[in-house]
Amino acid sequence: MNEPLTRTFLSKAIANLKDVWRGIADSGYSAETASLRPELPDGDLDRVRRQMRECLESRGGEVSARARAAALGRAYLALDATGRKRFLTVMAEDFEPDPAAIDEAIRALRTATDRRAQQDARAALRQVLESPRLRLLTQFNALPEGVKFLVDMRAEILSFLPQEPTLAPLERDLKGLLATWFDIGFLELKRIAWDSAPATLLEKLIAYEAVHAIGGWEDLKNRLDSDRRCFAFFHPRMPSEPLIFVEVALTHGLAENVGELLDKSAPVQNPRDADTAIFYSISNAQKGLAGISFGGFLIKRVADSLSAEFKGLKTFATLSPVPGFLAWLEGVKGDEGTALLLPEEIARMTEAGIAAETSAALANALRGKDWVSDPARVEALREPLLRLCARYLAREKAGAKRALDPVAHFHLTNGARLERINWLADTSAKGLAQSAGIMVNYLYRLGDIEDNHEAYSDRGEVRVSASVRGSLKS
Amino acid sequence: MNEPLTRTFLSKAIANLKDVWRGIADSGYSAETASLRPELPDGDLDRVRRQMRECLESRGGEVSARARAAALGRAYLALDATGRKRFLTVMAEDFEPDPAAIDEAIRALRTATDRRAQQDARAALRQVLESPRLRLLTQFNALPEGVKFLVDMRAEILSFLPQEPTLAPLERDLKGLLATWFDIGFLELKRIAWDSAPATLLEKLIAYEAVHAIGGWEDLKNRLDSDRRCFAFFHPRMPSEPLIFVEVALTHGLAENVGELLDKSAPVQNPRDADTAIFYSISNAQKGLAGISFGGFLIKRVADSLSAEFKGLKTFATLSPVPGFLAWLEGVKGDEGTALLLPEEIARMTEAGIAAETSAALANALRGKDWVSDPARVEALREPLLRLCARYLAREKAGAKRALDPVAHFHLTNGARLERINWLADTSAKGLAQSAGIMVNYLYRLGDIEDNHEAYSDRGEVRVSASVRGSLKS
Amino acid sequence: MNEPLTRTFLSKAIANLKDVWRGIADSGYSAETASLRPELPDGDLDRVRRQMRECLESRGGEVSARARAAALGRAYLALDATGRKRFLTVMAEDFEPDPAAIDEAIRALRTATDRRAQQDARAALRQVLESPRLRLLTQFNALPEGVKFLVDMRAEILSFLPQEPTLAPLERDLKGLLATWFDIGFLELKRIAWDSAPATLLEKLIAYEAVHAIGGWEDLKNRLDSDRRCFAFFHPRMPSEPLIFVEVALTHGLAENVGELLDKSAPVQNPRDADTAIFYSISNAQKGLAGISFGGFLIKRVADSLSAEFKGLKTFATLSPVPGFLAWLEGVKGDEGTALLLPEEIARMTEAGIAAETSAALANALRGKDWVSDPARVEALREPLLRLCARYLAREKAGAKRALDPVAHFHLTNGARLERINWLADTSAKGLAQSAGIMVNYLYRLGDIEDNHEAYSDRGEVRVSASVRGSLKS
Amino acid sequence: MNEPLTRTFLSKAIANLKDVWRGIADSGYSAETASLRPELPDGDLDRVRRQMRECLESRGGEVSARARAAALGRAYLALDATGRKRFLTVMAEDFEPDPAAIDEAIRALRTATDRRAQQDARAALRQVLESPRLRLLTQFNALPEGVKFLVDMRAEILSFLPQEPTLAPLERDLKGLLATWFDIGFLELKRIAWDSAPATLLEKLIAYEAVHAIGGWEDLKNRLDSDRRCFAFFHPRMPSEPLIFVEVALTHGLAENVGELLDKSAPVQNPRDADTAIFYSISNAQKGLAGISFGGFLIKRVADSLSAEFKGLKTFATLSPVPGFLAWLEGVKGDEGTALLLPEEIARMTEAGIAAETSAALANALRGKDWVSDPARVEALREPLLRLCARYLAREKAGAKRALDPVAHFHLTNGARLERINWLADTSAKGLAQSAGIMVNYLYRLGDIEDNHEAYSDRGEVRVSASVRGSLKS
């Protein structure tokens, strides 16, 4: 849902770990790894490989093995990008399961006759299919900040992966491990507030916010004001790192314009009077947890928490971007692109000075933001764009059942319905560039969530409100 | 290392969960499971099976699936022993991996040609070998006290297992899951002290202490006095449940008698003057974590923590029971049993009124505690028993490399050496019954731990002090 | 409301402070006070007096003065009873306000003409009337546990006072200082619960409970069960010392028998079903705060807290002892004593074997507990004792407006009314000895508290329920 | 030491209290004060006066009196400046001690004969001299934020005082009360750090910093970096309000230039290598606590805390402004002003283009900051200004013993010595305007503090280093 963390931020986070690790690693297990060169030339690589082997053999006992893993972790952090790729490649290639043992276990499974023997044989086969590198990854966890280390390591692997496809098995193992450790049951929901959150945490919100960039401390304070709420999931072993966070505005009625929500000079509402909670930004904060999803739980738990605090809340909805709208419009080719526009719409646009007979031409005409300040063009564009956006969200698919728009897919999977499409709702440069300023409300209605989810998951059916249904028919 | 928790305690712990769960489960997903009868007759069992299936299919989305799992959990707690066995049996038998999919994946692995395809095929095979019940187990974790629920469920399965061997695959899956979640890296070491620990936690120490029973609150207070320390590992999701705890006395020199350590009327020493930390009791507190080991890490981390607090500490050692000594003595049969005793020892014992020409006869003569109050018998027994105990600990094996005595095996695995064998060190009924009152010091010397561990793990070699070596030669 | 703390407890509390103070006092200001002899003979007393003077002159600056006060405090703790009395006597006698300065300030006040000058002169006079010892007392506060030190010092002064009336001015100053520091606004109400309170705090409840002694840890646990509550006021600088605490039972209807409330084997009620909160024990925990009252605030704040947690609570009442009933009965002399008993009551008692024609004789007949097991005597005593107790509580005065019974005075001042008098409500030895087993419910009804208070405070009028009014008429 | 808080900030702080108070005051005691008009006309004033009387009479009991005080407090916050002055004036004028009772008590003191009677009479006189308004002030303390309310009320009274001298007795009583409540023994020293302090607290640092203004969040972060420390005193009842705070830099050697200390682009030093702690800014944060001093204790406690953390620290010193230097220079008149300058200094300055034959002319020539960029003028000014500044700090008095410069007076009272006078140490506009850019190091040397304090307090003698002594002689 958010852009990749900048490299700088990531490096800094890892740099912070270095101090912590120094102490641990100084404990005497770093002889092998002490003087490695940053780019990890062959001889150094051999030493790394040997140390990895010793970790896996648990030489000197499990406690010592973990201390060795600390030294390896420290060595990793001191490497440059080349060295890290080489380090990771060793993990990916040298610590595969043993093919002979697999063959043997398959044979044993084949010959198992009764139920119990089959169960045992399947378990044994599964055991030998577990790659040794998984155990190596686990050993990093005994260390201060070990979990964060692994999360950041996966972020790096993901960034290397396009150029280094051999890292894929390592990435798969690491993802599986993190998915188990970041099971929703271990996460804590915490409110982040101006009067309790430390500055280090607030800094991270500014850095990680992916939907509507936070313009500094005053802007942040505005988003944590008495009619706002911010919640995040935390893992007990990464207590100062949000995993995912959501910003909520407590409003009267469905908010339809994010500029108004974010306006620092707007008067603060009394949240006791609010009847609606608007989730206007959800950002994943850990690139290393990509593909491990907690968004649905976050929305549910935040809605529960808000309901308990504010008895007057009746509506839970989002105000969401439509990140793929214009890209789709631009990409529709040929006749299909022509067919998207209705003759009367084309006529009205032409009259307003917009020459757009195909969807691509229309997308092209929307580049830049000058049209926004021309009432005639705005008026001529309004109807066709709202109609096309409804169609894009409700009909266009990536595959059989999955909505093409990623934000739509996220909320529809969570059981929301497409409630309202808002014109000129985000006139920031980013908002105009991705969706001609259109934003969408997805509605979470408790009683409908399961049905909506089933309709979408089983049949790819997008549930919409009456008004959106109207747009779709026209 | 400790005895099974009494059933009463376990039931009570689970009972406490009921209140917490009531709230959650009342949320509407309990229609299927609301009115189950305690013994779970066939019709009810079908409903349970259906609800399990729906959890796995994630009908209504992942959030709903977790709510359904809550209802299942609540239903489980309301069952009687018969019902629970039936519930668990369904999980063990009905949620196996799909054999056809396994065959298919094996075929795919066979035909994979290049390295990358093989890696993918192995991962795919491993995936289909994962039984659906593992996912069901995981779903219980989204709930308050979910981790404790699963730990207690495993304790129950383990208690049923001898009569219900079909539960074995379920137990195996659950153990694997808990081993991942209770990785040492997630555990927090905390000191338990009289002036900070809440009464609920202290109660548990009294209940769980397995080595030297705690006789009540005054006894407990004595064990938490200023020259004592108690430390435990905790999991972040079970904050008021110790996993394993150790009791330490800060002494001057190696303590050789546990009665003196536990004497409530003994004067309190100034811990600043201590040069030795004696680990005199280590108890596992969660039967449901049997086989998942943290003892070695506990000793290491406690030693680190004590070193940082008390600069004068030079020696870290245990004062440990020898739980299997007399049982071994009694069990040695025939000539071997006769050969264990030296003629001059037999003569001296006979003179003191002990007719013991075989080890079994000797064990027999030690029943009851009357010999302890007869100085002549005590004197005649001292030398042969100390010698035999040294032999028992250092030479007798359960298998090729594993020490027969379980406590010895634990400390030797952790890299300790057998330092001293103490006569009349524990004259409690339990101490006399298991080891004729003998206790042992195992010494943890930082510089030797790895070597000692390797010697024991690789070759089954037990490292001993010079004095113990002397006993072994005689 | 409670008995004096035993000396042992007090000494122990002060002893605990010694360690803390050692560190502070070692900082170099203890030369003067280092080697004082425990009984503080004259030469030593001079050194103490000199050090006190230097504290007051703030020689070396205010920071140094506080360090000197630490050394003095440490010296005090090392003294025996004789030495402490001598130490305190110096404070009481040598640090009086300056009479000449007072005369001068009175003269200035006499000659002040305009309002402003008079105000200034009054303030100046008040200033010189402040004794230097008050400043000395204040200086002890800069130290760890300084507040507790002063509270315990006042407890000691109060215990010395009967024999050492010259300590009165010191006691007065110290009381004034503590009253300002223990203003209700600084106190925190905290719930004390089995699953959060540390053992050190719970120990103190056992030690301090003054109304119904706590018989050990099991009894205490019973009083903290789910249908019970315990609350205490704490001062931020004495965080592990309750100042006053109240025990509450959540019941259905007015509890009339304390034995039932305290019965460990009674089933636990669901507190959600309770309609009544019974305050069945209120104990002051700090003898050194005698005469500084927080009881009224405690009841009010606890009632507020319970109301917020349990919406079903409608009645707030006590189940209270009548500590002075039998003593009063015994003390009424001559005709008055005879007139208290009605002829028919005397007749019925005689018939049951109780020869009691005067109140003193009746009191005498109630000694011992054998009458309780004789249904005839119990029946014959019931009516006259309930009637006399009503009279005692509602009519008998200590002075013009103050109820003779101290517990009655406490609750009537707080605005409660006398609701019900309960027969055989406390058959413990203590209950029988002080009030023939009678206990009383005082009712706190929010809307009547102010009126009740005014009636009692202004006119000494005791508000009673209809049923008690009935007893009074008969 | 710092400038008055801006009114805006104060109003905002009081405004924040309003919400909290609303709840409390809504409890039914606000009938009298509910509809007061902001400027508090006569009729409304009467109602306020009546409610005050009822608080003092404790009508309905002490609990009710405190609730009434809450309503009064709320009423006060809703008033405008005129109304508040009228409210305060009533408190100052209508609640004086009773003159007749004072006369009576003086008479009783006159006639008291023995020591004990005199002590009692003095205590009684002191009692009647206590004004009822003091009790009224105390009653505000039972409320949430009551302490902060009173602190802010005193800040307002102090701001009104110049125009409303009749408020003086009220201010005096309030100061006395706050001095008792803010006794150093109640204050907690806390470190304020970027990774733990909440944003609300950090905001206050930015607002309150009085010596070197903080330019925003980045500047603040720089001042909390790893080679910096910030500590503050807090009162337990105002946990998010610093009372006084100090900023410290850990350096190698005495820092002589504050611009370098505050430079955000300067590299961060490893604080483990530091040998010197420089206290470069001390700011009082509560105007309402003016005249109640904790600065000496703050420096002592921070020095203790830093010593414990950094074993290498050997020197504790300040880098302090000289706020009154140029004002003094300008104010010296006539011959005295001429005599301050040495002929050779005048000659050199003239040569550099500075026409300054008197100190006032010199002060005049230093207006503006253009001289700083002219090396010739800088060089010509250096020697005379350093010499004059030494003289100003060491010799010029406000009264017999008190240094004229307020910052000098603060540190000399605390036992520091004047160590070094630094040229061009603060070239900010403020630094140039008040002291021609000169800053001073005051040195705190543990062994000398008492002596230095005595020399200064008893005899007004300023202890200086050898180098400053050199300047004074020339």
Side-chain angles (χ1 to χ4, degrees), chain D residues 316-327:
Chain D
F316 294 88
T318 73
L319 182 60
S320 301
V322 194
F325 178 40
L326 285 203

Side-chain angles (χ1 to χ4, degrees), chain D residues 139-158:
Chain D
Q139 287 178 329
F140 288 122
N141 189 36
L143 303 155
E145 309 275 349
V147 174
K148 177 67 177 156
F149 174 82
L150 287 167
V151 169
D152 287 345
M153 181 184 264
R154 181 158 177 258
E156 284 212 307
I157 297 172
L158 287 171

Side-chain angles (χ1 to χ4, degrees), chain D residues 5-19:
Chain D
L5 295 176
T6 61
R7 281 287 305 155
T8 356
F9 189 87
L10 186 64
S11 314
K12 207 179 146 206
I14 289 189
N16 286 341
L17 288 179
K18 288 187 194 178
D19 283 338

